[in-house]
Amino acid sequence: MTGTAPATASALIDMRATYGGLSVAVGALLWALAAHPSSRRAGLLGVLLLLLGMAGGRAVGLICDGPANAVMIAYLLLELSGAALAAWLLRRPD
């Protein structure tokens, strides 16, 4: 999808930790926040900030690094859509 592959064991380990372990931990945190009505708004705010951060980083990459493949554009659109949904849900009364 990105057109590259990690070339060393250290690169693979770091990729698994960053994109695997961190993603699982963030997902577990958001799941825990969603499980309790008193913390759902905090979870939605977390989703909003995470998705806006990802979309922002991706947009900076597109501006600085040039055109990307269709997968990167699709991810950007999904991130922005998810952020918009989280923002809409945050504006709704409890």
Side-chain angles (χ1 to χ4, degrees):
M1 286 206 245
T2 61
T4 187
T8 66
S10 292
L12 280 169
I13 291 166
D14 189 56
M15 185 180 78
R16 285 189 179 102
T18 302
Y19 297 104
L22 181 63
S23 296
V24 169
V26 168
L29 174 62
L30 294 173
W31 184 281
L33 290 170
H36 302 285
S38 63
S39 59
R40 283 195 186 127
R41 292 187 65 74
L44 282 171
L45 181 59
V47 168
L48 176 64
L49 294 174
L50 286 165
L51 290 177
L52 285 178
M54 290 178 71
R58 200 174 306 277
V60 167
L62 288 168
I63 292 166
C64 293
D65 303 323
N69 61 27
V71 173
M72 294 299 112
I73 302 302
Y75 284 168
L76 176 61
L77 293 174
L78 286 169
E79 289 155 1
L80 291 172
S81 297
L85 178 60
W88 178 75
L89 289 170
L90 277 168
R91 293 180 55 98
R92 295 179 59 203
D94 288 335

